[in-house]
Structure formats: structure tokens, C-alpha cells
Amino acid sequence: MGESHSPAPPNSLPQDNRTATPMTSSATLRRKPPSPQELISHYESQGLTSHDASIKVIEDLQNALFRIISSGRGKKDKLLVETSRKIDSTNNRLALLDLKLDSKPGYAETFAVGLASGSVLNGIGAVMPHVFGALTHIWSSVTNLTKHSS
């Protein structure tokens, strides 16, 4: 497919200058963009085949999209700005929550955990001799009973 220096594709339908008045706004002056079939027929009238005309229309569309995206107009979109702000806010909240969950306990919490575990160990230490004494009594009673009955 050769590179041809053809005039720019038609961007809109021809405008009738008789209907335009100085009182009309810019919104009413905007015209409907050409359909894909109109663009293809435009390039075919310049001597391109149907396939080459289709490829040229696709190239023009890609170039237009690239210009719009690279111009930065999409960054000014209110919805995009608001969504980005909400995502940033949510991300900051999650980061704070993550810091709170991953933080180590302070001195007061560590002291309280130490006292509680010390009390539990002290209580177990105080009860265990009585439990072991009871178990040895049960064991000796069972062994004595089995020695005398046999």
C-alpha cells in the first residue's frame, strides 16, 4: 500500500451557508460526523481500492484516537477526576488500617499481657501439686485394690 498525499478526509457533511445566522450557537453549527461508508467512498473516489480505503479509514480513526488521548483532554473529565480522588482516599484509609493492624503492642499492652500470663502460670503452679497428688492417690488405690484381689 503506497503512501499517497491525498487531501484530508471529510470531517463532516457539507454545510449550507444560507441557513447559518449570526444568532446560532456553536452547538447548532456542529455537524454529524461522516459514516464509515461515506469515508470509504471518499477514499475510493480518490482511486483507492475498497480494501485500501478501509485500511486508510482505520488509520485515520487510530490517529484521531491517539491525538485525543495524548492531548490530555481525558484527564480533565470530571468523572475520572472524582473516581481517582475516591480511589486515592480509599487507598490512604487502607494504608492507615494496615499500619494499625501490623503495629506492635505498646508498653502498657505488653505489661498487661505479661501480668496475665504470669498469673496463669502462677495459678497452674499452685494447682498442679494438688492434681498430681490426687492422681497418685487414685493410682495407688487402684494398684492396692488389684494386688489384694488377685
Side-chain angles (χ1 to χ4, degrees), residues 107-117:
Y107 292 115
E109 290 123 355
T110 306
F111 184 70
V113 168
L115 280 178
S117 62

Side-chain angles (χ1 to χ4, degrees), residues 3 7 14 25 27 30 33 36 38 51 54-55 60 62 65-66 75 81 86 92 96 99 102 106 110 120 124 128 143:
E3 192 69 30
S25 67
R30 287 188 179 178
E38 290 172 338
H51 178 73
S54 298
I55 291 176
D60 290 344
Q62 287 175 334
L65 283 174
F66 179 74
K75 293 178 185 173
V81 169
K86 287 180 180 178
N92 288 339
L96 284 173
L99 284 174
D102 288 342
T110 306
V120 168
I124 290 173
M128 287 312 270
T143 54

Side-chain angles (χ1 to χ4, degrees), residues 13-141:
L13 297 173
Q15 180 183 10
D16 188 7
N17 288 336
R18 290 177 287 160
T19 60
T21 62
M23 301 290 254
T24 58
S25 67
S26 64
T28 59
L29 291 178
R30 287 188 179 178
R31 293 165 277 162
K32 179 182 98 160
S35 69
Q37 187 58 42
E38 290 172 338
L39 290 172
I40 291 173
S41 62
H42 169 75
Y43 285 120
E44 286 175 344
S45 70
Q46 292 182 353
L48 294 174
T49 66
S50 178
H51 178 73
D52 290 340
S54 298
I55 291 176
K56 184 69 175 156
V57 168
I58 292 171
E59 284 178 7
D60 290 344
L61 177 62
Q62 287 175 334
N63 289 335
L65 283 174
F66 179 74
R67 282 194 307 270
I68 289 171
I69 291 171
S70 64
S71 71
R73 283 182 14 197
K75 293 178 185 173
K76 297 177 184 174
D77 186 29
K78 288 181 182 178
L79 178 64
L80 182 64
V81 169
E82 185 177 335
T83 304
S84 177
R85 182 183 54 78
K86 287 180 180 178
I87 289 173
D88 287 343
S89 173
T90 304
N91 192 23
N92 288 339
R93 288 179 184 172
L94 284 174
L96 284 173
L97 185 62
D98 189 37
L99 284 174
K100 287 180 180 179
L101 289 176
D102 288 342
S103 65
K104 296 178 182 175
Y107 292 115
E109 290 123 355
T110 306
F111 184 70
V113 168
L115 280 178
S117 62
S119 298
V120 168
L121 287 175
N122 195 14
I124 290 173
V127 170
M128 287 312 270
H130 299 291
V131 171
F132 287 140
L135 287 175
T136 54
H137 255 269
I138 293 171
W139 185 259
S140 64
S141 296

